[in-house]
Amino acid sequence: MRIYLIKRILALIPVLFVVSVVIFLIIHITPGDPAAVMLGESATEQDVKALRQQLGLDLPLHTQYVNWMADVLRGDLGDSYFMKESVAESIFSHLQPTLSLAILAQIVALVIAIPIGIAAALRRGTATDQTVMGFSLLAMAVPSFLLALFLILLVGVKLQWLPVAGYKPLEAGLWNHLKYLILPAISLGAIQSALITRMTRSSMLEVLNTNYIKTARSKGVKERTLVYKHALRNAFLPILTVIGQTFGGLVTGAVVTETIFNIPGIGQLIINSVERRDYAVIQGVVLFVTAAYVCINLIVDMLYGVVDPRVRLERK
C-alpha cells in the first residue's frame, strides 16, 4: 500500500506541472497589460512601468515562470497586490466557507441520492423507478443558479424561513453558521445528487442480479440485510468514485452559487481577482484548487481498500 501511495503521488507531479504551465500562459497571454489594469486608467506610464518592475512582469516569460515555480516549491504562492497579504493567506481565509458549503451540499446529495437510487433499483420498471429517473434527468438539466434563484424566491422571500445571502463563520455558533448555507447547499446538492442517483441505481441493479444475491434471497435472508449489508457494500465502489468526483466539483466549482448567495469563499475570491486582474492570486488559487481536486481523487482511491478488501488483495 505504501508503494502504491508513493506511485500515485509521483503520478500527480506531471499533472500539476502541466496545469501550472497552462495557468501561467493563459494569464500572461491574455490581451492587456496586467499592471495597467491594476492601476486603472488614471495611472501614468511611469507608474505602470514601476509596477511591472515590482511584479517582475518586465522579465522574459520563461524567466517569470521559473521564478514563480521556484517560489511555489518553497511554499510561496506570491502576494496579492490589492489585499496586501500573501496568496496563501487569502486562500485559507476564504477556504472555510467553501469547505463548509461543499460538505453540507455533499450531505444533501447523499441523503437524496442513495435512498432513492436503491429504491429505484429494487423496483425496476415500476412507477417509482420511472419517477426517480425522471427526477435525475430533471436535476441534471436544471442549472444550479436557476434552482438557487427559485429557492431564494420561495424560501427566503416568500416564506422568510432562511436568509437569502451572507455568511457567518462557525465561531458565531453552529446554527448561525448553517442557516446561511442551507439554501446554497440544497441548490448544489440537489443537482449533484442526480449523477449519484443514477450510479447507485445501475450499480445496485448489477449486484442484485448476481447469483450469490439470488441464493441468499432463496435461503430466506432478510431483504433489509440483503440490500444494505451485502448488495450495497459490493455496489459501493462505483458510487464512491462518483461521490469523490462530485465533492471535488463542489469544492472547485461553486463559483456561481457563492456569488449568488454572497458567500466569501474560494469562488468569490476567484471572481474578484479576475475583475482586478490580480494575477498572482488567480495563479495561486487555480493551482491550489487543482491540487485539492487531485488529492480528493487520491483519497477516494485509498478508500477503495477500506470499502472492498478485494482491492487490497489485488494491489498486494
Side-chain angles (χ1 to χ4, degrees):
M1 179 64 74
R2 186 178 301 172
I3 296 175
Y4 174 81
L5 181 60
I6 293 173
K7 288 181 179 179
R8 286 303 309 272
I9 293 174
L10 292 176
L12 298 180
I13 295 176
V15 175
L16 295 177
F17 171 73
V18 172
V19 170
S20 68
V21 173
V22 173
I23 296 167
F24 184 84
L25 291 178
I26 288 176
I27 292 175
H28 286 76
I29 293 177
T30 302
D33 188 345
V37 175
M38 289 179 182
L39 292 175
E41 297 179 357
S42 61
T44 64
E45 292 186 6
Q46 291 181 346
D47 294 335
V48 174
K49 184 178 179 180
L51 182 59
R52 286 180 58 83
Q53 291 177 347
Q54 177 185 340
L55 299 177
L57 297 175
D58 57 332
L59 298 174
L61 200 61
H62 66 277
T63 304
Q64 294 182 46
Y65 176 77
V66 170
N67 292 339
W68 177 55
M69 283 306 300
D71 291 337
V72 169
L73 293 176
R74 291 195 298 266
D76 181 9
L77 297 176
D79 297 311
S80 171
Y81 178 78
F82 291 95
M83 291 180 283
K84 305 303 179 184
E85 62 182 6
S86 68
V87 175
E89 290 175 344
S90 300
I91 290 173
F92 286 109
S93 65
H94 290 79
L95 186 59
Q96 188 194 63
T98 298
L99 277 180
S100 297
L101 176 59
I103 292 171
L104 189 58
Q106 190 69 60
I107 292 173
V108 170
L110 294 177
V111 168
I112 295 173
I114 300 296
I116 67 174
I118 294 174
L122 293 175
R123 297 169 178 82
R124 182 180 184 182
T126 64
T128 300
D129 186 20
Q130 294 174 0
T131 302
V132 170
M133 296 306 294
F135 160 77
S136 64
L137 289 174
L138 179 63
M140 293 177 70
V142 175
S144 60
F145 73 88
L146 186 61
L147 180 58
L149 294 175
F150 173 76
L151 290 173
I152 289 174
L153 179 62
L154 177 62
V155 181
V157 178
K158 295 290 185 181
L159 300 177
Q160 296 185 355
W161 287 350
L162 294 168
V164 298
Y167 175 77
K168 288 288 182 66
L170 190 58
E171 292 78 11
L174 182 59
W175 171 242
N176 288 328
H177 179 65
L178 291 178
K179 70 181 181 180
Y180 286 94
L181 298 175
I182 291 176
L183 291 184
I186 293 175
S187 65
L188 283 173
I191 304 301
Q192 297 293 336
S193 68
L195 184 58
I196 302 176
T197 299
R198 295 177 69 87
M199 182 56 69
T200 301
R201 176 185 178 274
S202 61
S203 187
M204 284 293 293
L205 281 174
E206 182 178 349
V207 174
L208 289 172
N209 288 324
T210 55
N211 290 330
Y212 79 90
I213 292 292
K214 295 178 181 178
T215 303
R217 184 176 282 121
S218 67
K219 290 184 175 181
V221 177
K222 293 182 179 180
E223 190 69 16
R224 186 180 184 86
T225 302
L226 188 69
V227 170
Y228 293 98
K229 185 176 180 181
H230 299 290
L232 181 59
R233 182 170 184 179
N234 285 280
F236 201 70
L237 283 186
I239 302 171
L240 180 61
T241 302
V242 174
I243 290 173
Q245 292 175 351
T246 54
F247 185 72
L250 288 171
V251 173
T252 59
V255 177
V256 176
T257 303
E258 288 182 356
T259 303
I260 291 174
F261 289 96
N262 194 27
I263 298 173
I266 296 295
Q268 198 171 87
L269 177 62
I270 293 175
I271 294 294
N272 293 335
S273 301
V274 170
E275 290 176 349
R276 299 166 176 169
R277 198 69 178 273
D278 197 346
Y279 79 98
V281 178
I282 300 172
Q283 289 178 163
V285 170
V286 176
L287 188 63
F288 173 81
V289 164
T290 304
Y293 190 85
V294 296
C295 286
I296 289 171
N297 288 330
L298 178 61
I299 292 171
V300 170
D301 285 349
M302 294 299 100
L303 290 176
Y304 286 163
V306 177
V307 175
D308 192 342
R310 293 174 297 180
V311 176
R312 292 198 296 268
L313 291 174
E314 186 175 314
R315 289 173 182 168
K316 186 176 180 181

